Amino acid sequence: MNDGNPIETVEAPAEILWRCLLEVIEAPERFSKEVTGAEVFARVDGTYGRTVTTELGVRTERIDIDNARRELVFEMIEDSPCAGRIVVRVFENPGVPGMLSILECTIDLAAATKRAAAAISAITDEMRDTIAAVKVAAESVPR
């Protein structure tokens, strides 16, 4: 994993990794110690609405799911302390198809206030934890 945008090589097939990543939508607190609660309030055609609670407060996200591309896009909306989005993708490692996958997270958030800057730092930490936990979950699935 690098310091900016988290990326992991995962010893699991891409389909297993993708299924583990989808669990983050409904239960992010299982994957990050920063998250103390979450509620999905909408599910419509591959788009979810949810609130996430952390020490810094509550943020609202829209999550778009692209199963064909194995991509989740988390868009900060409404009362969120910062603006922007996070894109998480699962790739099959071309060198070892079916055995190794790549989990990539691109964080593109903007801060206009000190509170927003703190929120971005916390969200970045949360995503690092989440990516690492999804890796562990995928690698522990029996094959």
Side-chain angles (χ1 to χ4, degrees):
M1 185 181 312
N2 65 27
D3 289 335
N5 292 315
I7 187 167
E8 291 279 2
T9 300
V10 182
E11 293 183 31
E15 191 54 42
I16 289 174
L17 178 56
W18 177 242
R19 285 195 314 258
C20 290
L21 182 60
L22 289 174
E23 293 177 26
V24 171
I25 296 169
E26 298 281 349
E29 64 277 6
R30 287 184 36 218
F31 297 90
S32 177
K33 65 184 180 298
E34 284 84 8
V35 177
T36 57
E39 179 185 355
V40 173
F41 59 83
R43 292 173 186 85
V44 180
D45 297 330
T47 299
Y48 286 63
R50 78 171 182 189
T51 56
V52 176
T53 304
T54 68
E55 287 182 2
L56 294 176
V58 178
R59 70 176 184 267
T60 305
E61 303 171 332
R62 184 183 74 232
I63 305 167
D64 294 316
I65 302 168
D66 185 334
N67 285 304
R69 295 184 65 198
R70 293 186 185 121
E71 177 180 272
L72 297 181
V73 178
F74 298 81
E75 189 85 30
M76 303 301 136
I77 58 173
E78 296 176 15
D79 60 347
S80 297
C82 56
R85 64 191 207 146
I86 299 167
V87 179
V88 183
R89 293 181 188 95
V90 171
F91 299 99
E92 195 161 27
N93 186 325
V96 192
M99 297 294 290
L100 288 177
S101 303
I102 299 169
L103 182 58
E104 176 186 80
C105 178
T106 303
I107 301 169
D108 184 18
L109 300 174
T113 65
K114 285 183 180 179
R115 178 176 177 262
I120 289 172
S121 178
I123 291 168
T124 300
D125 289 346
E126 176 189 324
M127 290 310 298
R128 283 189 186 117
D129 284 354
T130 298
I131 296 301
V134 168
K135 173 185 176 169
V136 169
E139 289 179 342
S140 66
V141 171
R143 294 185 269 297

